[in-house]
Amino acid sequence: MADLTPAQREFRAAMANLSAGVNIVTTDGPRGRAGITVSAACSVTDEPPTMLVCVHRASRAHDVLAGNERVCVNVLGSGQQDLALRFAGATGLPMHERFAGVVCDFAEVPVLRDAAASVIGHLGQVRAQGSHSVMFVEVERVITRSGSGALVYFQREFHSLAGAHRG
């Protein structure tokens, strides 16, 4: 990788202070099965329900996600940092082994059973922006689980947040 410009270093330092939810985007289909950890994901609109996820175009999962066109955005809960690292490639596991031992429900795409939420949909528009693709997920089905807390990424580390207790 080329040396970063001062502007790129400053931008990366600023983005380290932007806390973000941690998600694993999964797919299965004609291009194969894949999953990748992303923190660049958010809602776009609820009319129609749409999310976006940003995926580095050099990632091995990128073309599989784009080619299959059906995805699940699995929002991770508290304590799931090992899973996030596995699908980020930090454990050295090849893509075909990342799902081993992970409890998934397989409807049309892999849905991580212990995720805080799972948003299933198909890719609408995919737009290249710099090194990444912005993938718009048109939502077809949502699964939520209560009491899972949240996993966030802040200052280049994972942090678990407990869920709110209501009484």
Side-chain angles (χ1 to χ4, degrees):
M1 177 163 48
D3 290 333
L4 298 176
T5 67
Q8 287 173 308
R9 282 193 299 276
E10 290 171 3
F11 179 74
R12 286 184 179 194
M15 292 302 97
N17 289 316
L18 175 65
S19 58
V22 182
N23 311 275
I24 296 175
V25 183
T26 56
T27 189
D28 199 357
R31 295 278 182 104
R33 183 181 299 166
I36 185 169
T37 300
V38 301
S39 59
C42 66
S43 66
V44 175
T45 180
D46 67 354
E47 193 177 314
T50 306
M51 289 187 72
L52 69 76
V53 295
C54 299
V55 178
H56 198 289
R57 290 199 322 264
S59 162
R60 291 182 187 183
H62 178 277
D63 291 344
V64 179
L65 292 165
N68 285 344
E69 297 181 353
R70 295 194 53 77
V71 300
C72 180
V73 180
N74 296 278
V75 180
L76 297 188
S78 178
Q80 292 186 303
Q81 56 271 13
D82 290 343
L83 198 57
L85 290 169
R86 174 190 286 222
F87 282 91
T91 61
L93 287 174
M95 186 64 70
H96 68 277
E97 291 181 19
R98 292 183 189 174
F99 287 91
V102 176
V103 180
C104 293
D105 293 322
F106 291 92
E108 53 278 359
V109 293
V111 176
L112 304 181
R113 190 176 294 167
D114 293 331
S118 298
V119 180
I120 302 162
H122 64 277
L123 296 183
Q125 184 180 16
V126 176
R127 179 176 176 209
Q129 179 65 37
S131 59
H132 285 64
S133 287
V134 181
M135 300 179 172
F136 290 88
V137 180
E138 297 175 4
V139 179
E140 299 166 358
R141 183 173 173 218
V142 175
I143 302 165
T144 58
R145 295 162 193 89
S146 60
S148 60
L151 185 65
V152 298
Y153 196 67
F154 176 70
Q155 295 186 339
R156 298 180 178 94
E157 294 181 1
F158 294 108
H159 302 273
S160 289
L161 302 177
H165 297 285
R166 306 210 190 276

